[in-house]
Amino acid sequence: ALLAVFAANALVLVAVAHAGRSGVIVALLALGALVPFILATMIPTTTIAGDEVAAPWRGYRDGLKRARGHDLDRALPYAVALSMTRALDGELREASAQGFAPAWFARTGNNTSAQYAGFYGYWGAFHSTMSPSGAGAGGAGASAGGAGGGGGF
């Protein structure tokens, strides 16, 4: 990183001084600065043993991306943990319109579809405010009157 800063400074000096031959030295410095970064990208993020342990979870994550018709009560916690809620977004929206609410959202006892209709709006508002940018549930925050929609809870 220091070599990259040095190469950038040298490039500015070469440009200001109009020293063409010095550009070759600057190019070598820049190349020397890039090589470690390129080599670092080749290092795997997990060990072989880590890959073996992670394989079932990666398979489940890939299945969430491809499949439809999930058991949403079972799949939703895993989708949140794996940052894969976008994969279930369409299903959640459709199920919510039909009165679905996850078991952890619905009160025990007198569960009626009409009582929890519109769960998706609350889910979208909560998830979009609690998740990092880009991992939200499709930007549904405004539909529930969350902070993004100008309303309040």
Side-chain angles (χ1 to χ4, degrees):
L2 290 174
L3 191 56
V5 170
F6 182 70
N9 287 332
L11 181 63
V12 170
L13 292 175
V14 166
V16 170
H18 300 291
R21 284 187 244 168
S22 300
V24 174
I25 295 171
V26 172
L28 291 174
L29 282 173
L31 182 63
L34 287 177
V35 168
F37 289 109
I38 293 169
L39 292 175
T41 63
M42 294 179 189
I43 298 173
T45 57
T46 56
T47 63
I48 294 171
D51 278 338
E52 290 173 5
V53 171
W57 292 105
R58 289 179 180 155
Y60 188 76
R61 181 191 62 205
D62 294 342
L64 283 174
K65 288 180 190 177
R66 291 189 308 269
R68 293 277 303 158
H70 295 94
D71 174 0
L72 292 175
D73 270 328
R74 179 172 279 167
L76 192 56
Y78 292 110
V80 171
L82 294 169
S83 297
M84 294 298 304
T85 53
R86 268 185 210 260
L88 298 179
D89 189 58
E91 284 183 72
L92 280 173
R93 187 183 317 251
E94 292 170 18
S96 175
Q98 296 172 6
F100 167 78
W104 50 264
F105 183 78
R107 287 183 286 181
T108 56
N110 188 14
N111 287 355
T112 63
S113 304
Q115 185 178 8
Y116 298 108
F119 156 76
Y120 180 79
Y122 294 106
W123 163 256
F126 173 76
H127 193 69
S128 66
T129 58
M130 298 302 289
S131 298
S133 179
S143 66
F153 287 100

